[in-house]
Amino acid sequence: MKIFVKFRKSIMLLIKALLVTSVTLGFIETWSTNYINTLFSKNGNYVVILSFVVIFVVFASLYGAFNIGIYRLHEVIYSFSLSLIFTDFIMYLELSLIARELIAIPPMLLGLIYQILVVAVISICANIIYYKLYAARKIVAIYGNKRKANLLIRKMSKIKERFSIEERIDINQHSMDEIKSIINNFEAVLICDVDKNIQKELISYCYTLEKRTYLLPDITDIITCSSYEIQISDTPVLMSRNRGLTIEQELIKRIMDIIISSIGLIITSPIMLICAIAIKLNDGGPILFKQNRITKGGKIFNVLKFRSMIVDADKGGAKKAVNNDDRITKVGRIIRACRMDELPQLINILRGDMSVVGPRPERIENVYEYSQKFPEFELRHRVKAGLTGFAQLYGKYNTSPEDKLNMDLFYIETYSVMQDIKLLILTFKVLFMRESTEGFEESANENVKASKSIREREKKNDK
């Protein structure tokens, strides 16, 4: 096994090449057997095959399907399957253009099923091989804030195949020499919420020893990561623009919003009609749910959603949706699981209240609550609120406000049109991932009540 470990990157690359080759051969078999009238006599066939490979690799790369061992097995298989669905759909259109008529669908569907079975089998085998070649690294966690460290360690501990937290060290209870001595016994170091000077010394020491480091970033780390390197005479300097989007970027983004929301409303209108009828038949209440949310510059607007909860669900005060929330209706559970309750927000986007991609618009109560703990939370409002975004794709409904803030700031600081397009494509991946709609714990609503009480007291004091 030690011999194979030396060539583990090459082995994994060969497995990925085998996977691409297998699904390509599956497409060729389906194509050459069932769609003879679309075959070329000479080199045209190679162009069709190349287009399949390129489209599949692009989608698989975007959805992270090749991250075997990094993503969970079911997510890898799901990503490959989704990539194949889009690729085969595009190839169906391509072959129909060649045939100058719509070709038969059943053979293509059977071919797709075969391809999905192939990627499932190869992915399972590849996952086993990966963990044989890449043993979980032994990690020492160094922290200044125990609560933050425990939250992150709990998440990492769920992926035992990749992370093995062997020891935890409170930075306040050990000298730097003691900590460095302990680091020598581990393969990697997790640095979580420590003083910047200490963080600098730890990272430099790990760099010297070629130890892998995992760093829980704060606001300054995220801003620094997106900085530009400029040269002032013989001195390298990092420059952060710190201004949000440029006028040109905002103009392009607005044009994209108008085009995408208009097309989206046309395409999804039958689905929206079905949702509206189902909601009305369920309990006879209103179809749409309107709520004040905050967007760019702190502007308040009415966000539109299909109602998924009982009428007057927040009658006793604003509450966050929790796991197994009894306020959610039968129809509501279905449309929330598929994110169909968000479709009316295409109207918000067309109006200009929101953008297709951006930080999710939060309720006024939530913004106040989160801003009390994290004053930087207001920085999310440098851009318009979005229907989808970084935090929605890589987080969950119940992701902590601090993690949401960090992801949203990363999006703002690294903004580009291509990134918006990528995030839009990635949105299809999370539509049917159940964990992305996971609710809050019951205790979350206690924070809302406490925040509301503080706010009311402050209003009285102002008077």
Side-chain angles (χ1 to χ4, degrees):
M1 182 55 71
K2 290 183 179 180
I3 297 175
F4 291 120
V5 170
K6 292 181 180 179
F7 301 100
R8 56 190 179 184
K9 288 186 178 179
S10 298
I11 292 171
M12 293 308 299
L13 185 61
L14 286 172
I15 291 173
K16 293 170 186 177
L18 172 64
L19 201 149
V20 174
T21 303
S22 299
V23 296
T24 304
L25 290 175
F27 166 73
I28 293 172
E29 176 63 24
T30 301
W31 173 35
S32 60
T33 304
N34 300 281
Y35 306 111
I36 299 173
N37 61 327
T38 63
L39 293 171
F40 292 91
S41 57
K42 293 185 180 179
N43 295 330
N45 294 327
Y46 295 112
V47 176
V48 175
I49 295 170
L50 180 62
S51 65
F52 174 88
V53 173
V54 170
I55 294 168
F56 174 68
V57 170
V58 167
F59 273 108
S61 299
L62 279 173
Y63 289 134
F66 291 119
N67 291 330
I68 297 168
I70 299 174
Y71 285 0
R72 290 165 295 181
L73 178 59
H74 77 272
E75 192 173 350
V76 169
I77 296 173
Y78 173 64
S79 299
F80 271 129
S81 301
L82 199 58
S83 302
L84 282 169
I85 289 170
F86 283 116
T87 303
D88 282 355
F89 175 71
I90 294 172
M91 294 311 299
Y92 172 82
L93 297 178
E94 184 177 328
L95 295 181
S96 294
L97 286 172
I98 295 171
R100 297 186 178 181
E101 63 179 2
L102 290 176
I103 58 177
I105 296 176
M108 209 70 173
L109 287 177
L110 290 174
L112 174 63
I113 293 170
Y114 167 78
Q115 289 171 320
I116 291 174
L117 289 173
V118 167
V119 297
V121 171
I122 296 178
S123 296
I124 292 169
C125 296
N127 205 57
I128 294 170
I129 293 171
Y130 179 91
Y131 290 124
K132 291 289 183 182
L133 298 174
Y134 292 85
R137 293 179 182 274
K138 295 182 179 180
I139 303 171
V140 55
I142 302 172
Y143 62 88
N145 184 309
K146 189 174 182 179
R147 182 188 63 82
K148 287 185 179 180
N150 286 339
L151 285 172
L152 181 56
I153 290 170
R154 196 178 302 133
K155 293 176 183 178
M156 295 178 75
S157 297
K158 290 179 180 178
I159 315 173
K160 296 178 181 179
E161 300 87 352
R162 288 184 61 203
F163 308 111
S164 177
I165 311 293
E166 301 286 332
E167 191 169 343
R168 308 181 189 193
I169 299 175
D170 188 335
I171 199 74
N172 302 308
Q173 297 179 5
H174 295 80
S175 68
M176 184 55 68
D177 288 336
E178 289 175 332
I179 292 172
K180 288 180 178 179
S181 177
I182 295 171
I183 287 175
N184 294 336
N185 301 319
F186 294 89
E187 299 171 287
V189 179
L190 169 64
I191 303 172
C192 182
D193 198 45
V194 300
D195 179 80
K196 285 294 178 184
N197 290 325
I198 296 174
Q199 177 179 304
K200 177 184 174 182
E201 188 172 350
L202 288 173
I203 292 176
S204 298
Y205 187 72
C206 291
Y207 185 82
T208 303
L209 297 180
E210 298 183 352
K211 301 276 187 183
R212 180 168 294 194
T213 56
Y214 301 93
L215 175 67
L216 183 67
D218 60 14
I219 304 299
T220 55
D221 293 320
I222 292 171
I223 294 173
T224 303
C225 282
S226 60
S227 300
Y228 296 87
E229 182 186 345
I230 61 174
Q231 199 72 24
I232 300 178
S233 185
D234 58 350
T235 302
V237 175
L238 292 177
M239 178 193 69
S240 298
R241 297 188 186 276
N242 300 330
R243 66 184 185 191
L245 277 57
T246 63
I247 295 175
E248 295 82 4
Q249 287 174 330
E250 287 189 344
L251 178 61
I252 295 171
K253 192 172 175 65
R254 181 58 187 148
I255 293 171
M256 287 177 60
D257 287 341
I258 293 171
I259 294 171
I260 294 171
S261 60
S262 299
I263 295 173
L265 282 168
I266 294 170
I267 294 174
T268 61
S269 55
I271 299 173
M272 293 175 72
L273 180 60
I274 293 170
C275 289
I277 294 171
I279 292 168
K280 199 66 178 177
L281 291 176
N282 184 62
D283 59 9
I287 294 168
L288 291 177
F289 170 74
K290 299 178 183 179
Q291 190 176 63
N292 284 338
R293 298 287 177 99
I294 297 181
T295 186
K296 183 181 178 182
K299 178 185 174 184
I300 298 173
F301 74 103
N302 257 331
V303 71
L304 301 176
K305 298 177 73 174
F306 280 127
R307 184 174 59 84
S308 60
M309 290 189 174
I310 58 175
V311 179
D312 295 329
D314 288 342
K315 191 174 182 180
K319 292 181 181 179
K320 297 173 183 175
V322 298
N323 292 319
N324 302 316
D325 199 317
D326 57 8
R327 296 175 300 160
I328 301 175
T329 64
K330 292 179 180 179
V331 173
R333 294 193 187 281
I334 297 171
I335 63 174
R336 285 170 74 97
C338 301
R339 306 293 182 90
M340 289 186 288
D341 60 322
E342 310 281 358
L343 288 178
Q345 286 166 50
L346 290 169
I347 299 171
N348 287 121
I349 295 169
L350 198 58
R351 286 177 180 172
D353 298 324
M354 294 173 60
S355 180
V356 175
V357 183
R360 282 298 291 158
E362 291 285 353
R363 295 192 300 196
I364 298 173
E365 296 86 354
N366 289 352
V367 171
Y368 183 81
E369 176 195 342
Y370 300 154
S371 298
Q372 293 295 307
K373 298 179 181 177
F374 315 107
E376 301 89 351
F377 197 81
E378 296 285 349
L379 297 176
R380 299 168 72 253
H381 302 140
R382 285 191 171 188
V383 296
K384 286 182 182 178
L387 178 62
T388 186
F390 223 88
Q392 291 73 52
L393 296 174
Y394 298 103
K396 304 175 183 178
Y397 176 75
N398 62 355
T399 295
S400 71
E402 187 175 11
D403 285 338
K404 283 183 180 179
L405 170 61
N406 287 343
M407 286 188 278
D408 288 332
L409 285 181
F410 183 81
Y411 165 75
I412 295 169
E413 291 300 316
T414 61
Y415 174 81
S416 70
V417 174
M418 287 307 299
Q419 179 174 256
D420 264 12
I421 294 172
K422 177 184 176 181
L423 293 175
L424 190 58
I425 294 172
L426 281 170
T427 301
F428 290 100
K429 179 181 175 180
V430 302
L431 286 178
F432 303 103
M433 293 178 69
R434 188 175 180 180
E435 55 264 39
S436 62
T437 58
E438 188 176 295
F440 286 90
E441 297 295 331
E442 288 284 354
S443 58
N445 285 317
E446 297 302 320
N447 296 329
V448 177
K449 292 178 182 177
S451 178
K452 186 178 180 181
S453 299
I454 294 171
R455 194 175 182 182
E456 289 175 350
R457 284 200 302 271
E458 288 182 352
K459 283 183 178 180
K460 290 180 180 178
N461 292 334
D462 290 339
K463 292 177 181 179

